[in-house]
């Protein structure tokens, strides 16, 4: 209802013109480099296409041409959306009450890059989100063009598909972020996690701190997903999720061990460092050991190979990007426990952390698990 009213007042064609005018003005004011205008235009065009493709879920459910399986998934997603508000105290707004079929596997493709002997990601800075360690494209081909340019600069690069992204609540006035075909078919536990993760970004977003933002959202998705399954999930859904999550946790433990090993190697990369070729040899050995360990893990899973492509192309960019989603999650989970598993108190505590300078914020978070152990 709200979406239809807004579209009647502000047609998407008008919104498109308005956003293009914004880009021109922003360029003139120095908010964004004029050379990046094409990039911003593809971002605007891609998001507007997504918005135009979205229909209210109620309309989709009433459409006799829609497959029953999709209707079941959409109805499930709406129950999760209500649960997010009532149980997890996530925002009650327009997001995830519409559905869009983008006719492709991913919503966007992210490009990440890192030096040959470092896990520190190259960053790009944007007017709203601040500086982040990735650059997103609505076209995989355009993402690959950017990747080749970065590789030509000597960086290690990775391009990966992303099933969903958040507009941080900025577009709720125009219908909000929709459910997408790129993730609506996920297993029940994963679908819940996806919705909760993206809504968590609307609770809080700190400029220039990707690790804080993504770790917070990942903690919310994990804790919220577990809560959903415990009170709403069927036995089949719980079993499916338990098997999937056990493999994921084992894989992430392997990632963490390898990242730690690589970070220790790269610490030696200083002006008076040992021979560069020796460091590269140590790095290559660490990555090969990672692949060998993964092979043994894969065998213990009965040949389950969902991570094969990730492992085959593993590099500094891939390890660096994954760290943003994992690094502070244990600290946020400990904070949730410290706040008595009360969602509102937890969010309030996270907001207080967000007000601190970045280094102080990270130190405070990392101390929480230790403080709980001592207590």
């Amino acid at each position: 209802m709200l979406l239809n009213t807004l579209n009647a007042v502000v047609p998407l064609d008008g919104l498109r013109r308005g956003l293009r005018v914004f880009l021109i003005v922003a360029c003139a004011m120095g908010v964004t480099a004029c050379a990046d205008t094409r990039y911003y235009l593809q971002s605007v065009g891609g998001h507007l296409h997504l918005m135009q493709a979205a229909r209210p879920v109620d309309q989709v459910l009433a459409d006799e041409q829609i497959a029953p399986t999709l209707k079941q998934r959409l109805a499930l997603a709406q129950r999760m959306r209500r649960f997010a508000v009532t149980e997890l105290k996530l925002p009650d707004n327009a997001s995830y009450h519409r559905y869009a079929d983008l006719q492709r596997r991913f919503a966007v493709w992210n490009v990440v890059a890192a030096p040959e002997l470092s896990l520190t990601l190259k960053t790009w800075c944007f007017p709203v989100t601040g500086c982040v360690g990735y650059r997103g494209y609505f076209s995989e081909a355009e993402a690959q063009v950017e990747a080749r340019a970065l590789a030509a600069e000597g960086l290690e690069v990775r391009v990966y598909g992303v099933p969903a992204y958040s507009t941080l609540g900025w577009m709720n006035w125009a219908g909000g972020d929709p459910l997408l075909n790129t993730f609506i078919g996920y297993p029940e536990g994963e679908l819940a996690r996806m919705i909760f993760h993206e809504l968590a970004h609307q609770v809080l977003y700190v400029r220039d701190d990707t690790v804080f933002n993504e770790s917070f959202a990942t903690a919310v998705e994990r804790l919220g997903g577990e809560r959903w399954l415990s009170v709403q999930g069927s036995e089949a859904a719980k079993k499916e999720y338990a098997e999937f999550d056990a493999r994921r946790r084992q894989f992430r433990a392997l990632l963490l061990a390898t990242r730690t090993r690589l970070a220790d190697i790269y610490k030696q990369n200083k002006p008076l460092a040992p021979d560069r070729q020796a460091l590269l040899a140590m790095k290559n050995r660490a990555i090969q050991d990672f692949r060998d360990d993964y092979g043994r893990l894969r065998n213990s899973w009965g040949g389950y190979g969902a991570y094969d492509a990730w492992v085959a192309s593993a590099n500094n960019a891939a390890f660096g990007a994954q760290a943003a989603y994992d690094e502070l999650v244990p600290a946020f989970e400990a904070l949730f426990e410290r706040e008595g598993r009360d969602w509102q108190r937890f969010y309030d505590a996270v907001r207080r952390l967000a007000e601190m300078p970045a280094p102080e914020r990270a130190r405070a978070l990392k101390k929480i698990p230790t403080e709980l152990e001592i207590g």
Side-chain angles (χ1 to χ4, degrees), residues 313-354:
S313 60
N315 61 15
N316 288 339
F319 282 108
Q322 186 59 46
Y325 290 83
D326 292 344
E327 185 172 329
L328 296 176
V329 172
F332 278 112
E333 291 178 333
L335 179 61
F336 183 69
E337 294 295 334
R338 193 191 78 181
E339 299 302 323
R341 302 183 66 84
D342 181 292
W343 287 98
Q344 195 57 60
R345 284 175 51 189
F346 171 61
Y347 298 146
D348 290 342
V350 174
R351 290 188 182 98
R352 288 193 294 272
L353 286 167

Side-chain angles (χ1 to χ4, degrees), residues 21 41 43 92 135 151 185 197 225 248 282 316 335:
V21 169
L41 286 175
S43 296
D92 185 6
R135 191 164 184 166
H197 181 107
R248 174 169 47 202
M282 295 167 65
N316 288 339
L335 179 61

